[in-house]
Amino acid sequence: MMERIAAVLAGSMLVGVGINFFLIPYHLLDGGMIGIGLIFHYYIGLPTGLGVILSSIPLYIYAWYFEKKLFLNSLHGLLFSSLCIDIFSDAITGWHLPIYVSAVIGGALIGLGIGLMLRYGTSTGGTDMLAQILSRKSGLNVGLLIFFIDGCVLLFGLSVVGTSVFLYSFLTIIAVAMLTSVTVMRTA
């Protein structure tokens, strides 16, 4: 129980740092519900964590009825990660990294955070939860499923961030998928 709590807290902080210190300064996107939250943030100014929660509501309704255990195991991950995303939103970094470095580091931190939570049976909810459901039913790697879903969200955000940032954001989702897969596989 204590390990799960520590994993949720550490994973949530990694996600919050990855988003606010590395993605938002360059208007980079991630995929999934985090990406949708970022699109809402860039387009209408909605706090990213709140956007993640609002975007996740339909999947949580589904999980409530059909995947109660996953619902209960993911709710605290969603709430803590969204809180960390919004808490770190006012952080100011003193470094100026090239956009491609920021895309990879941000994606790696987010992937590590998500993977850590998935390793202990929880997630940030949203499409991570959807990927867990699909992985259990299909046997496909959860990191690859997240990568596919993330790519779909990036395509949706193309008109908001433009082609150049879209391409760098693709580096982000590659890093997220790789670190999520590696982190989850370490316990297999």
Side-chain angles (χ1 to χ4, degrees):
M1 179 67 153
M2 292 306 290
E3 285 180 345
R4 178 179 272 181
I5 292 169
V8 168
L9 294 176
S12 295
M13 286 196 278
L14 286 166
V15 169
V17 167
I19 289 170
N20 288 294
F21 288 39
F22 298 97
L23 301 190
I24 288 179
Y26 293 103
H27 284 233
L28 292 164
L29 291 174
D30 185 16
M33 294 304 171
I34 292 172
I36 293 170
L38 286 166
I39 292 168
F40 284 145
H41 175 72
Y42 300 147
Y43 193 67
I44 62 172
L46 186 69
T48 306
L50 179 59
V52 170
I53 290 172
L54 294 174
S55 302
S56 296
I57 290 173
L59 284 172
Y60 272 88
I61 291 170
Y62 169 84
W64 175 257
Y65 288 106
F66 301 107
E67 300 276 345
K68 279 239 193 323
K69 184 177 179 186
L70 193 56
F71 172 88
L72 295 171
N73 288 339
S74 297
L75 185 61
H76 53 282
L78 169 71
L79 297 176
F80 279 112
S81 62
S82 296
L83 179 65
C84 284
I85 291 168
D86 287 348
I87 285 174
F88 291 128
S89 68
D90 292 329
I92 298 172
T93 61
W95 60 75
H96 300 285
L97 300 171
I99 188 171
Y100 63 90
V101 173
S102 198
V104 171
I105 292 172
L109 290 172
I110 294 165
L112 183 60
I114 290 170
L116 186 61
M117 286 188 267
L118 288 174
R119 179 190 289 188
Y120 287 92
T122 189
S123 73
T124 58
T127 54
D128 299 340
M129 184 169 55
L130 177 61
Q132 279 183 294
I133 294 167
L134 294 174
S135 177
R136 268 193 264 140
K137 293 183 188 259
S138 69
L140 294 172
N141 180 286
V142 70
L144 292 176
L145 288 167
I146 290 171
F147 179 72
F148 175 75
I149 295 166
D150 288 354
C152 293
V153 172
L154 277 188
L155 285 173
F156 178 72
L158 177 61
S159 65
V160 175
V161 298
T163 305
S164 177
V165 172
F166 167 81
L167 294 173
Y168 287 114
S169 296
F170 201 76
L171 287 174
T172 300
I173 67 166
I174 290 170
V176 170
M178 288 175 61
L179 264 291
T180 300
S181 292
V182 167
T183 305
V184 171
M185 284 191 309
R186 291 224 178 255
T187 61

